[in-house]
């Protein structure tokens, strides 16, 4: 079982086994979570006001795997200055390796049960497909990452 912070300095035990798939799907299928899952609509709104050349899309996992590369891409996007010089003078290896706001080791060990994962993937698939289409339409020659489209699994 993992723990979650109730914002009052107490910890309560939470076990996903106490809740069925419908409980979690109900939480996922709220207006707030739908809006957070619909990257294509959010990006389309940005594209109404800014040219695509002013928008930089980055893969979140790059923060953990290649923080210097990610920072370099951001600096190149917003600056005409010598990015490598800026990085050398201002950013240490320690700066890039420190972790802030990371998950608790106990909660990160929890896995999503197969039945719930299948339902969540089915729910998220249309959002991922629309976002990937928008990326391809606006940045066809870039090597932008794309969202996993959760391919349908064949039943055995």
């Amino acid at each position: 079982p993992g723990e979650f912070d109730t914002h009052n300095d107490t910890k309560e035990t939470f076990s996903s086994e106490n809740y069925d798939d419908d409980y979690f799907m109900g939480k996922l299928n709220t207006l707030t979570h739908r809006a957070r899952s619909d990257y294509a609509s959010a990006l389309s709104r940005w594209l109404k006001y800014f040219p695509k050349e002013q928008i930089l899309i980055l893969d979140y996992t790059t923060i953990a795997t290649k923080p210097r590369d990610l920072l370099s891409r951001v600096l190149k996007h917003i600056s005409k200055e010598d990015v490598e010089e800026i990085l050398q003078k201002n950013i240490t290896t320690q700066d890039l390796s420190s972790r802030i706001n990371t998950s608790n080791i106990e909660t990160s060990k929890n896995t999503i049960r197969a039945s719930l994962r299948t339902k969540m993937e089915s729910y998220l698939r249309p959002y991922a497909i629309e976002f990937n289409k928008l990326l391809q339409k606006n940045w066809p020659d870039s090597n932008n990452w794309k969202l996993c489209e959760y391919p349908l699994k064949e039943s055995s």
Side-chain angles (χ1 to χ4, degrees), residues 45-105:
R45 283 191 297 276
W46 282 100
L47 287 166
K48 285 182 186 178
Y49 300 101
F50 298 98
K52 63 184 178 185
E53 295 77 22
Q54 290 184 355
I55 297 175
L56 177 63
I57 300 174
L58 301 165
D59 182 355
Y60 177 78
T61 58
T62 309
I63 293 171
T65 59
K66 298 177 184 173
R68 183 172 286 280
D69 291 351
L70 181 126
L71 188 54
S72 178
R73 286 188 65 197
V74 170
L75 289 172
K76 285 176 186 173
H77 188 74
I78 63 174
S79 174
K80 298 290 184 203
E81 296 179 40
D82 182 5
V83 170
E84 286 308 312
E85 184 179 334
I86 294 170
L87 288 172
Q88 300 260 335
K89 286 183 179 179
N90 299 295
I91 307 296
T92 67
T93 303
Q94 185 176 348
D95 291 333
L96 295 172
S97 64
S98 66
R99 300 289 183 244
I100 299 171
N101 197 21
T102 59
S103 69
N104 174 324
I105 189 90

Side-chain angles (χ1 to χ4, degrees), residues 43 88 119 137:
L43 183 55
Q88 300 260 335
K119 289 176 183 178
K137 174 184 171 191

Side-chain angles (χ1 to χ4, degrees), residues 111-130:
T111 58
I112 299 173
R113 62 180 164 260
S115 60
L116 179 57
R117 177 173 295 281
T118 299
K119 289 176 183 178
M120 291 174 70
E121 289 175 355
S122 177
Y123 172 81
L124 294 169
R125 182 179 301 111
Y127 294 116
I129 290 169
E130 286 307 307

